[in-house]
Amino acid sequence: MKTITKIALLFFITVYQLFASLTARVDTKSVELGDIVTYSLDISGQKIKKPDITRLCNSDVISTSSQTNMQIINGAMSKSYTLSYKFSPEMSCKIEPIELEIDGKVEHSQAIDIEVKAPSQTKDANFMLTLSSNKEELYVGETLELTLAFKQRNGAPALDSKFTPPELKGFWIRGESTPQKTQDDNYTTTTIVYTLLPQRVGELKISRAQMQIASRDNKLDSWGGFMPTIKWKNYFSNELSFNVKPLPEGVTLVGDFKINLLLEKDEVNANEALNAVVEVSGDGNLEDIKSFKPYIDAVGVFEEKATIEGAKLSQKIAFVAQNDFIIPPFEIKYFDIKTKEIKSISTKEVHIKIINAKPKEELIIKTDEKQITKNPEVIYGDAYDKVYLFMAFFAGVFLGVILMLLKPFLKFKRVKKSSIKEPRTLLAKLLPYKEDEEVKEMIEALEQNIYTDKSVEIDKKALRELLKRLKID
């Protein structure tokens, strides 16, 4: 009897292992960008080690689920599992075979190809996301308005939403408007306008913006009934491309500007501060305007950091003097994109009157007009002078010879370390050398720190060596 039991048990195990299998499948092999794909693994076996799958096709897994089934056929029990993973592929790809241990044996699923098509936004879609700009070709530093519009059909259900803004690599973000909502008979539109300035020459691209929308859905449960769930769907905008041209040599500003000097008065008491404000207004890269602090002889000049509000730059400057002085013209030079000419604008010089000014003292040189009388010392004065000059000459020659002999021992070399510049200034200085691989890597790190939320650690020693090699101060 025991022998028969052992044989039956061995037969059961053998038959059971014959049914061990691993099969992969997807609910669809062709999707539009933003659609969700369900990847399922059908597993037959008694003992399995569930795989740890967090990414498929270089995309994060959004959700997972599992289902277990048991069957008894002709007295033989079999168990099967279905593991499901939802993800949203961003490009056409291949899901590589999954390796899984089933009943002590390693099984492999088959590979599956996924085709991802560009999103097609129909005019009657429930949700639409678009990017548009007022320019396609512009100069470095020229302002650009980027408009992001999200349209939602009136009455379309949306339980939740998650917005991912476009990547603005290579652009400086001057400002972002508050969201503006408008509504018509069919849609509610939310609009945001970004003010951007390109920071380098060449082709710059703005990636797609993304909006994830959660809506209600139903799926079959294990009893065959419908169970309410939440379904997420991704909506993508279009991409944009810009041709950025270099400015003429010797010019760093581009746009259309006006400059003005505001003075509270043109007469002050001696040693009283005279406050002034230099204002530059217009459409252009105000951020690249340097300090207006002038040098005026015998006048104390104190400046504050320039501030930018909207399309106007302001810098406060204070002057303290004891005598009348002149404030020189403040000048800027820029490239006018309308006329394609380099223009120069400036304020007028201003004469400042100092009340109770301290009189200037004249420099008086006095000479000794006493009568020179002849005496023995004066008679021999010329001879003494010649002897003195002769001795001084030989002393100089002797000192020169000593210094030449000691020069090898006194020689030293100063090593000037390249200072680590402010990130935006450093980026501007490195851009002309972007063809250099090391420079290219440093530019990418700086752009990550400046234009994104990421924080990339920069090797300061390597940066100093790079600046030294390129002879950048």
Side-chain angles (χ1 to χ4, degrees):
M1 185 68 180
K2 291 182 179 180
T3 303
I4 296 175
T5 303
K6 290 180 180 179
I7 294 173
L9 180 59
L10 179 61
F11 175 78
F12 172 78
I13 294 174
T14 304
V15 170
Y16 178 77
Q17 289 182 345
L18 290 175
F19 288 101
S21 64
L22 174 62
T23 305
R25 56 185 171 87
V26 292
D27 58 344
T28 178
K29 292 186 177 182
S30 180
V31 295
E32 287 189 357
L33 181 63
D35 288 342
I36 304 295
V37 176
T38 301
Y39 175 72
S40 299
L41 293 174
D42 295 322
I43 308 167
S44 296
Q46 183 67 23
K47 295 182 180 180
I48 67 169
K49 291 184 179 180
K50 292 185 179 180
D52 183 17
I53 301 176
T54 58
R55 290 178 64 83
L56 291 168
C57 277
N58 293 322
S59 300
D60 292 334
V61 171
I62 299 171
S63 64
T64 62
S65 62
S66 63
Q67 185 177 353
T68 304
N69 297 312
M70 295 186 65
Q71 289 183 329
I72 299 177
I73 301 176
N74 297 326
M77 182 181 68
S78 64
K79 186 184 292 186
S80 64
Y81 306 87
T82 299
L83 306 179
S84 298
Y85 306 86
K86 293 183 181 296
F87 68 101
S88 179
E90 297 182 1
M91 61 182 67
S92 297
C93 57
K94 175 185 289 186
I95 302 177
E96 298 297 334
I98 301 297
E99 183 180 288
L100 188 62
E101 185 177 330
I102 305 175
D103 297 333
K105 183 180 178 182
V106 176
E107 301 286 348
H108 295 84
S109 66
Q110 72 274 27
I112 300 178
D113 291 318
I114 302 294
E115 180 188 14
V116 179
K117 303 175 182 178
S120 59
Q121 295 192 9
T122 58
K123 294 183 179 180
D124 57 349
N126 287 337
F127 304 96
M128 289 183 286
L129 190 62
T130 58
L131 285 175
S132 60
S133 65
N134 61 337
K135 300 173 184 177
E136 293 182 358
E137 189 173 85
L138 65 167
Y139 291 89
V140 173
E142 184 180 347
T143 56
L144 162 73
E145 287 190 351
L146 176 69
T147 302
L148 173 69
F150 176 66
K151 299 179 70 173
Q152 179 178 353
R153 180 178 289 278
N154 297 332
L159 300 178
D160 197 1
S161 63
K162 297 177 183 178
F163 174 65
T164 303
E167 187 175 299
L168 305 175
K169 189 175 181 180
F171 289 90
W172 163 249
I173 305 175
R174 173 188 287 176
E176 176 184 337
S177 70
T178 56
Q180 300 292 326
K181 283 192 175 183
T182 58
Q183 189 170 5
D184 56 25
D185 295 337
N186 298 318
Y187 288 93
T188 298
T189 304
T190 304
T191 304
I192 300 176
V193 178
Y194 299 89
T195 302
L196 310 176
L197 291 87
Q199 296 294 291
R200 66 167 185 256
V201 176
E203 183 182 10
L204 296 184
K205 290 186 178 181
I206 294 180
S207 63
R208 302 177 190 272
Q210 178 182 354
M211 181 71 80
Q212 292 178 283
I213 302 295
S215 58
R216 297 188 186 280
D217 192 20
N218 294 306
K219 74 173 186 178
L220 290 173
D221 57 20
S222 57
W223 303 98
F226 286 99
M227 179 176 62
T229 60
I230 295 178
K231 180 180 180 181
W232 286 91
K233 182 175 175 60
N234 295 327
Y235 295 87
F236 291 87
S237 72
N238 53 304
E239 293 180 324
L240 292 178
S241 180
F242 301 90
N243 179 28
V244 182
K245 299 178 290 185
L247 290 172
E249 187 175 355
V251 180
T252 59
L253 302 179
V254 56
D256 186 15
F257 301 98
K258 293 181 180 179
I259 189 170
N260 193 22
L261 174 63
L262 304 178
L263 286 173
E264 55 183 5
K265 47 191 171 182
D266 57 7
E267 290 187 358
V268 292
N269 292 317
N271 296 321
E272 179 186 350
L274 171 65
N275 296 316
V277 178
V278 181
E279 287 186 347
V280 179
S281 59
D283 179 21
N285 51 333
L286 297 169
E287 293 79 5
D288 293 327
I289 295 178
K290 297 180 179 180
S291 173
F292 287 104
K293 181 180 178 180
Y295 170 78
I296 305 175
D297 188 28
V299 178
V301 182
F302 307 91
E303 63 173 343
E304 292 185 12
K305 186 178 180 180
T307 59
I308 298 176
E309 293 184 4
K312 183 172 70 173
L313 176 144
S314 301
Q315 184 176 22
K316 295 180 180 180
I317 301 176
F319 303 90
V320 180
Q322 294 182 340
N323 296 284
D324 297 350
F325 66 95
I326 297 175
I327 299 178
F330 296 104
E331 180 184 14
I332 60 171
K333 187 167 61 172
Y334 66 94
F335 181 69
D336 190 323
I337 56 176
K338 295 179 181 178
T339 62
K340 301 296 186 293
E341 296 176 339
I342 296 176
K343 294 185 177 180
S344 180
I345 57 175
S346 64
T347 62
K348 295 180 179 179
E349 69 175 25
V350 181
H351 293 256
I352 304 299
K353 177 70 176 176
I354 300 297
I355 304 172
N356 301 323
K358 183 179 179 181
K360 293 184 178 179
E361 295 182 357
E362 294 184 3
L363 180 62
I364 300 175
I365 302 176
K366 295 182 178 181
T367 59
D368 189 0
E369 297 180 352
K370 291 183 179 180
Q371 184 177 0
I372 300 175
T373 60
K374 292 185 178 181
N375 55 58
E377 292 181 359
V378 174
I379 293 174
Y380 297 104
D382 291 342
Y384 291 145
D385 289 343
K386 290 179 180 179
V387 172
Y388 175 78
L389 290 173
F390 183 76
M391 293 177 65
F393 171 75
F394 277 99
V397 173
F398 178 75
L399 181 61
V401 172
I402 294 298
L403 289 177
M404 289 295 293
L405 293 174
L406 294 177
K407 186 176 180 181
F409 301 97
L410 298 177
K411 186 178 181 181
F412 67 92
K413 181 179 181 181
R414 293 184 179 179
V415 178
K416 181 180 178 182
K417 293 184 178 179
S418 298
S419 61
I420 304 302
K421 304 292 184 180
E422 195 274 334
R424 297 186 189 282
T425 304
L426 180 58
L427 177 61
K429 289 190 175 186
L430 287 176
L431 285 175
Y433 306 94
K434 63 180 181 179
E435 300 301 327
D436 187 296
E437 286 299 325
E438 188 178 358
V439 174
K440 185 177 180 181
E441 293 179 4
M442 191 64 67
I443 288 176
E444 290 179 355
L446 288 169
E447 288 181 338
Q448 289 285 338
N449 290 336
I450 296 172
Y451 305 117
T452 70
D453 295 331
K454 298 179 181 179
S455 179
V456 180
E457 185 176 354
I458 295 177
D459 188 337
K460 293 184 178 180
K461 182 178 179 181
L463 177 56
R464 289 193 181 97
E465 292 296 328
L466 178 62
L467 296 176
K468 181 179 179 182
R469 176 167 64 84
L470 298 176
K471 298 181 180 179
I472 295 177
D473 295 328

